């Protein structure tokens, strides 16, 4: 059923035999393949060649998370990737108004005794997101450690820089004291200056971070976009400002 197929043809047609394949758009663009070319692909049974009869996108993305995808007709896919006559996944489209949980239970009852997992669409999405989260946990930890080191190094550099700045302004600060400025007023002027520098620097750093995140997202998962959250921006501005001040 087309409604259940995440792949959408953007060129050519579907494969109709063992000598025809469809590639994802990301792979086709990267390799230079075009419809009508003879493409080479690999499975557990070895290397194969087939005529490229179509190019597809995964929804709105050129491929799922940058993966190279080869699409075959049912019989060929079962022969090369699974067990002939068997499938590993079955998608069911419920009619409007049908409760997904009730449909899941009905299907599970019909398959009672079979080693088959029956889940709703929302459960499948949650499982997929959980698997993706586990995959990127290591990357996230690395980036957090890197960010912590950057904050510590930045704090030391800022402290050293402001020490030199204050030392160079000793005559100016002494003059302020001489004309009647209190110790608290002089200290406040220095703190306000550092606060302004911290806010401006944090805004610039946050903008650079968003641009870098967009590049990293495209690198790890071509076609993916970085999502900016208010909490992330607030934390970045807060840490940068407090660290500077």
């Amino acid at each position: 059923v087309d409604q259940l197929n995440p792949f959408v043809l953007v060129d050519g047609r579907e494969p109709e035999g063992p000598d025809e394949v469809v590639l994802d758009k990301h792979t086709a663009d990267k390799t230079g393949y075009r419809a009508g070319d003879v493409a080479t692909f690999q499975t557990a049974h070895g290397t194969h060649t087939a005529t490229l009869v179509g190019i597809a996108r995964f929804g709105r993305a050129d491929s799922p998370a940058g993966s190279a995808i080869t699409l075959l007709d049912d019989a060929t896919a079962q022969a090369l990737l699974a067990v002939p006559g068997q499938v590993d996944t079955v998608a069911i489209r419920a009619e409007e108004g049908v409760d997904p949980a009730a449909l899941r239970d009905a299907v599970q009852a019909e398959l009672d005794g079979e080693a088959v997992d029956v889940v709703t669409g929302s459960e499948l999405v949650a499982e997929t997101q959980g698997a993706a989260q586990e995959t990127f946990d290591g990357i996230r930890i690395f980036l957090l450690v890197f960010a912590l080191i950057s904050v510590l190094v930045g704090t030391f550099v800022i402290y050293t820089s402001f020490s030199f700045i204050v030392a160079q302004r000793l005559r100016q600060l002494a003059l302020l004291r001489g004309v009647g400025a209190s110790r608290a007023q002089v200290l406040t002027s220095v703190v306000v200056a550092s606060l302004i520098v911290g806010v401006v620097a944090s805004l610039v750093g946050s903008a650079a971070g968003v641009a870098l995140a967009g590049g990293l997202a495209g690198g790890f998962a071509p076609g993916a976009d970085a999502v900016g959250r208010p909490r992330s921006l607030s934390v970045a501005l807060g840490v940068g400002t407090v660290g500077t001040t």
Side-chain angles (χ1 to χ4, degrees):
V1 181
D2 291 340
Q3 293 91 333
L4 298 177
N5 187 357
F7 289 94
V8 181
L9 282 171
V10 294
D11 188 23
R13 58 176 176 82
E14 299 178 359
E16 297 178 351
D19 297 325
E20 297 180 349
V21 296
V22 169
L23 294 179
D24 64 276
K25 189 176 185 302
H26 173 69
T27 301
D29 291 343
K30 186 177 180 180
T31 58
Y33 281 137
R34 294 294 180 266
D37 293 345
V38 176
T40 301
F41 63 98
Q42 189 171 7
T43 68
H45 298 281
T47 302
H48 311 270
T49 57
T51 301
L52 180 63
V53 297
I55 297 174
R57 301 187 71 186
F58 185 77
R60 293 179 296 176
D62 288 346
S63 73
S67 302
I69 303 296
T70 302
L71 305 177
L72 310 163
D73 67 288
D74 291 342
T76 305
Q78 290 175 349
L80 296 179
L81 307 176
V83 178
Q86 296 185 10
V87 296
D88 56 6
T89 303
V90 175
I92 300 175
R93 183 171 182 267
E95 294 183 357
E96 187 174 352
V98 176
D99 180 35
L103 179 58
R104 175 200 59 196
D105 296 340
V107 174
Q108 185 69 68
E110 291 293 330
L111 297 174
D112 187 29
E114 300 288 342
V116 177
D117 292 329
V118 183
V119 297
T120 63
S122 58
E123 291 171 345
L124 179 61
V125 170
E127 291 178 2
T128 304
Q129 290 177 338
Q133 183 68 35
E134 292 179 1
T135 301
F136 286 100
D137 272 348
I139 299 175
R140 183 178 63 176
I141 292 174
F142 169 78
L143 293 177
L144 287 175
V145 172
F146 182 77
L148 179 60
I149 294 174
S150 299
V151 170
L152 293 177
V153 173
T155 301
F156 175 77
V157 172
I158 291 169
Y159 174 78
T160 304
S161 300
F162 264 93
S163 296
F164 282 113
I165 292 174
V166 172
Q168 292 173 350
R169 293 181 58 193
L170 282 179
R171 289 186 177 180
Q172 179 183 357
L173 298 177
L175 179 60
L176 291 175
R177 289 282 287 164
V179 296
S182 66
R183 181 183 182 88
Q185 289 175 323
V186 172
L187 179 60
T188 299
S189 67
V190 175
V191 173
V192 169
S194 67
L195 182 62
I196 294 174
V197 171
V199 172
V200 173
S202 297
L203 289 173
V204 174
S206 297
V210 170
L212 178 61
L216 290 175
F220 286 117
D225 296 322
V227 178
R229 297 182 176 178
R231 184 182 66 178
S232 301
L233 181 60
S234 300
V235 171
L237 292 176
V239 172
T241 304
V242 172
T244 303
T245 308

